[in-house]
Structures are given as structure tokens and as C-alpha cells.
Amino acid sequence: MIVLKAPQDQVLGALQAVAGIVERRHTLPILANVLIRKTGNQVELTTSDLEIQVRTTVQFDGDAGNLQTTVGARKLIDILRSMPADQVVSLTSNANKMTLQGGKSRFTLQTLPADDFPLVQEAADFGPAFSVPQKALKGLINQVHFAMAVHDIRYYLNGILFVAEGKNLTLVATDGHRLALAQVELDTDIPKQEVILPRKTVLELQRLLKDGKDDAAAIEMRFAGNQAKFSFSGMEFVTKLVEGKFPDYNRVIPKSHKFRLTLGRAPLLSSLQRAAILTSEKFKAVRLTFEPGLLSIASSNAEQEEAKEEIEIDYAGDKIETGFNVTYLMDALANMSQDMVCIDLNDSASSALLTIPDTTGFKYVVMPMRI
């Protein structure tokens, strides 16, 4: 049976949309596969890692009839990538094999039974559905994702806090050393929600969401006790939520400050990137000295190599000498698109607050380092 027949780029695009969560090595071999369900010309592609499930439905040419099977997702993608984009390819199923053909190329892959594919058990009762613009959600994720923890024993930090209330949608991420908050005001009210989305889910949404000029493109969301379901761009995305209590982020954000300076984001980022070259590999520390009219950035390493950068700034406050992990500063600046950035400080021992001028929807707090 011809399962599908279509140009290479269409087949590859559909597979890549669902294959982001597939691991090349897994304790359960079938999880390296994509579940293919064919109903007439409609082909449903599903992947799972037991906690996240991604599904898309596409229309392809092929034989009439129904079919269910699974085949290696990464192998299929790697083969398709090696073929010309405009080449028509076909997938044919026969017994426990699947054959991919394109031009004079032919590849035969092993399949595993669809009945053995472990679908995520979806919650029986999801809450009310609501929609937000894909562009808005992707923008928020872009502003906070870098502050998520990675494999932290405090598992609730390995993701982002998703807070919806009234017209406000807020995303917060922290790894205990820095915190990023991004907020947007929507046109309509949304049901009150406060959940923690896992790190892998966040990164996959960031990859899949559209941020083009089509502001009408929306993502529909529904939440259950420990699950979330997202529907967008012909995709259905089901994920487990992280259980636990997220830190009170309002307590971390400084409410008052003695000194504020505004300077160009790009020049500051460039100076930090140069200074970072000679930081210690382990600590990544830079020393920032704020004094009237001047910001000095200094770094050194175990080989007694040193870097020093100076930036003229509009600042008339006290001299403050403090240290930060340069990566934490660069992450925030690199994920902003604005020309200017504000830095609020109290003294050398307090955290710094980075914001965007004339914008209340972004706050970034970074803890100081002893140097």
C-alpha cells in the first residue's frame, strides 16, 4: 500500500514538526518511532516520550484504505533531508517493512506494530479552552526561556511558570541565580491559571510557534490537573505539567533602587562578549564598576590574563563596584531586541534589575558574585 506520495519538502516538514521530542536513544525502542495512522488521504503523525505527545494531521496522495504502523522518525528525516526539495517521494508499507522511494533512491526500513506505541493517557476533563496569539506567546518565551534551570534537583525550576489572570499573561523562569519575567496584556480576558510548564515543552513550543506578521494565528490552550493541551497550526500538543510550588517571584524583584542608568544594549553586549573571552572557565565572572560618566568592565583568569572595557554612560551616582556571571548578563541582552536597556542598582552587594525603557512587561534580576 502507498501510504503517502508528495514532494519531499512537504513530507519532511510534517515529520520535523512532530519529531522534536524524539530521542535517538531510548530505553523503549518504539519511542524512537513516529506513529503513522492513515485514513484515506488523511495521514496522522504522532510522537511521544511518555510525558509529551505531539500530533499533526496532513493530506497526502496515496492509495485508498486505512493503515497503522510505526517507523524510525530520525532515520526517515535524515533520509528525506538528503533528497532534493522538489522531488516527489513515496512511502510504501508491506508486511513489517516500509519503503521510502524518491527518484532512483530506495530505502527499506523496519516497522514496529502501532498497537505497541505508548500514547500519552490524556486527562478525562480539561478546563475551558482559551486562545492567545502565537506571536505573543512566542515573544514571552523568547524573553524568559534562557533563565530556566537545567537538571536542577529543585525540579519545579526546570521549566517556566505560566500565569494567566484577567487580560494579563505572565511567564517567569529562574534557576536560583537569576530570574526573568515577561508579561503581555491581551485583548480579551483569559481564565485564571497558574501552572509550571516543563523545560522540554517550553523549548518545543518555542520551536513550533509562529511569530510572523499573521497576528491572527492563535494557539488554543486547555488545562487539566496535571496536563496541558495546546492546539495550533494543525498541531495538537499534550504535555504533563511540573508539580510543585514555584518560588514567589515578586519577592525576588527589587521594588526600589538608588541608582538607574540607561545605555545602549548592543554596545554593552559587545563589551561583555569581549570581556568574557578572558574569564575563568568555571566562574565566568566580570567586575563592573559604575562611576560618574563611565562603566568599566574587567575580567581575568587563572593564567593572569586580563581584559578591560570602558563605556561612556549617563550616570551621576555613587561609585559602585560589583561582580556578575557574564553569561547571565549576556543571555538577557542577547534575547532583547530593543536598542536601550535600563540597569537599576542599590549597592555592590545587591542584585541588579534590568528592564527596557518605557516598557513594564519585562524584568530581569541577576544576583551579584563575589570576586
Side-chain angles (χ1 to χ4, degrees), residues 108-127:
T108 302
L109 302 173
Q110 188 76 33
T111 61
L112 291 171
D115 291 342
D116 295 343
F117 192 83
L119 295 169
V120 170
Q121 188 67 42
E122 293 187 26
D125 184 27
F126 279 96

Side-chain angles (χ1 to χ4, degrees), residues 248-263:
D248 184 356
Y249 57 90
N250 285 311
R251 291 179 59 188
V252 177
I253 300 171
K255 300 297 186 291
S256 60
H257 53 270
K258 292 180 183 176
F259 309 109
R260 164 172 285 193
L261 65 146
T262 304
L263 68 165

Side-chain angles (χ1 to χ4, degrees), residues 67-305:
L67 174 81
Q68 286 194 129
T69 190
T70 78
V71 67
R74 295 290 180 190
K75 289 177 185 175
L76 213 50
I77 286 173
D78 288 346
I79 294 168
L80 285 165
R81 276 182 179 149
S82 69
M83 294 179 165
D86 57 351
Q87 187 173 73
V88 174
V89 299
S90 65
L91 267 182
T92 307
S93 178
N94 185 17
N96 60 344
K97 304 280 187 183
M98 183 163 281
T99 303
L100 172 62
Q101 283 184 274
K104 294 184 178 181
S105 303
R106 179 186 177 98
F107 304 86
T108 302
L109 302 173
Q110 188 76 33
T111 61
L112 291 171
D115 291 342
D116 295 343
F117 192 83
L119 295 169
V120 170
Q121 188 67 42
E122 293 187 26
D125 184 27
F126 279 96
F130 63 95
S131 298
V132 301
Q134 288 191 45
K135 186 176 181 179
L137 181 58
K138 183 163 186 172
L140 294 181
I141 292 174
N142 286 343
Q143 288 182 295
V144 304
H145 74 279
F146 55 87
M148 291 186 292
V150 184
H151 303 309
D152 197 295
I153 192 169
R154 298 163 293 180
Y155 53 89
Y156 47 83
L157 299 184
N158 301 317
I160 59 169
L161 180 67
F162 178 103
V163 183
E165 188 168 10
K167 287 185 168 65
N168 289 326
L169 179 58
T170 306
L171 267 58
V172 187
T174 180
D175 61 6
H177 304 287
R178 38 130 173 222
L179 179 144
L181 177 149
Q183 186 178 74
V184 67
E185 186 173 339
L186 303 171
D187 295 332
T188 56
D189 284 344
I190 46 182
K192 186 172 180 177
Q193 302 286 344
E194 187 166 324
V195 299
I196 304 173
L197 299 176
R199 177 184 176 83
K200 191 172 180 179
T201 296
V202 173
L203 297 178
E204 199 59 18
L205 285 173
Q206 184 184 29
R207 184 179 76 89
L208 293 170
L209 288 169
K210 306 269 190 286
D211 60 355
K213 295 179 180 179
D214 183 11
D215 292 337
I219 174 171
E220 183 185 275
M221 307 182 186
R222 299 179 71 192
F223 293 92
N226 66 340
Q227 266 187 357
K229 182 186 282 189
F230 306 109
S231 301
F232 58 98
S233 305
M235 309 274 297
E236 184 185 270
F237 194 108
V238 179
T239 176
K240 281 187 178 179
L241 299 172
V242 179
E243 296 181 15
K245 179 65 176 172
F246 200 83
D248 184 356
Y249 57 90
N250 285 311
R251 291 179 59 188
V252 177
I253 300 171
K255 300 297 186 291
S256 60
H257 53 270
K258 292 180 183 176
F259 309 109
R260 164 172 285 193
L261 65 146
T262 304
L263 68 165
R265 180 190 65 85
L268 176 58
L269 178 58
S270 296
S271 294
L272 290 168
Q273 286 170 333
R274 289 191 292 270
I277 297 168
L278 296 187
T279 55
S280 159
E281 195 66 37
K282 186 176 181 181
F283 297 110
K284 291 289 182 184
V286 290
R287 181 182 289 106
L288 272 57
T289 304
F290 300 88
E291 49 192 325
L294 188 69
L295 167 60
S296 300
I297 302 169
S299 65
S300 60
N301 58 29
E303 287 78 35
Q304 297 186 334
E305 298 169 326

Side-chain angles (χ1 to χ4, degrees), residues 317-333:
D318 297 344
K319 180 177 179 179
I320 299 175
E321 190 172 305
T322 185
F324 294 103
N325 182 313
V326 69
T327 304
Y328 295 167
L329 295 175
M330 292 191 302
D331 281 347
L333 295 169

